[in-house]
Amino acid sequence: MYAVLAPIDENDERVRSQIETIRGLPAAPDDIAVDALHVREELYFSAEDVEDASIGRLEEDLEDLSEPPETASLIATELLDSGFETAVHAATGRPAAAIVDVAERLDVDLLVLGARRQSPVGKALFGSAAQLVLFDADRPVTVVPS
């Protein structure tokens, strides 16, 4: 089974581009397993909830994810309907580091990243999660512009 990790955010257009790229992979859908990942960067909890914070923990059931973006259901539904084995996960932390960590944990064969368009100055000032993943990942990465 060829394993793909598709890190998603809240942008429908980016996620749809990722879906189309995955559908275009040169293998039958039933030979590809897709793990969608949403990384929450912000932490929302009170002092009493610190023990339940999920930093470093990978949440693995769509039904159990706390407030997943609508794009999580979009990618799961679209890919399942196309015949792909699909799971949705969530993690909390810095997006690039979490994506690379989950790719290693799940031992995926390919990452399919949706990237927003930024000017060269914007990239220099603010960085890019896609750029950091490209530098840090030890496996193939396909970057899909939206």
Side-chain angles (χ1 to χ4, degrees), residues 25-40:
L25 291 173
D30 58 353
D31 291 332
I32 300 172
V34 180
D35 289 286
L37 172 67
H38 179 250
V39 179
R40 294 178 302 263

Side-chain angles (χ1 to χ4, degrees), residues 23-143:
R23 284 179 175 154
L25 291 173
D30 58 353
D31 291 332
I32 300 172
V34 180
D35 289 286
L37 172 67
H38 179 250
V39 179
R40 294 178 302 263
E41 195 166 4
E42 295 92 15
L43 298 176
Y44 299 104
F45 51 83
S46 65
E48 295 84 37
D49 298 329
V50 171
E51 291 177 12
D52 296 327
S54 61
I55 298 171
R57 193 178 90 223
L58 181 64
E59 297 174 29
E60 301 192 23
D61 284 320
L62 180 58
E63 294 79 30
D64 296 338
L65 302 185
S66 54
E67 300 182 33
E70 290 180 20
T71 53
S73 293
L74 171 68
I75 195 167
T77 301
E78 292 282 329
L79 291 177
L80 285 169
D81 288 350
S82 296
F84 294 89
E85 181 179 313
T86 307
V88 178
H89 311 281
T92 302
R94 295 185 181 271
I99 291 166
V100 171
D101 178 57
V102 171
E104 290 173 3
R105 284 188 199 189
L106 299 178
D107 194 27
V108 299
D109 298 297
L110 174 69
L111 288 108
V112 177
L113 296 175
R116 66 177 143 244
R117 296 180 191 270
Q118 290 183 323
S119 69
V121 172
K123 289 178 188 172
L125 292 175
F126 303 109
S128 164
Q131 183 176 347
L132 292 172
V133 170
L134 282 168
F135 289 144
D136 294 340
D138 63 351
R139 57 205 71 230
V141 178
T142 298
V143 179

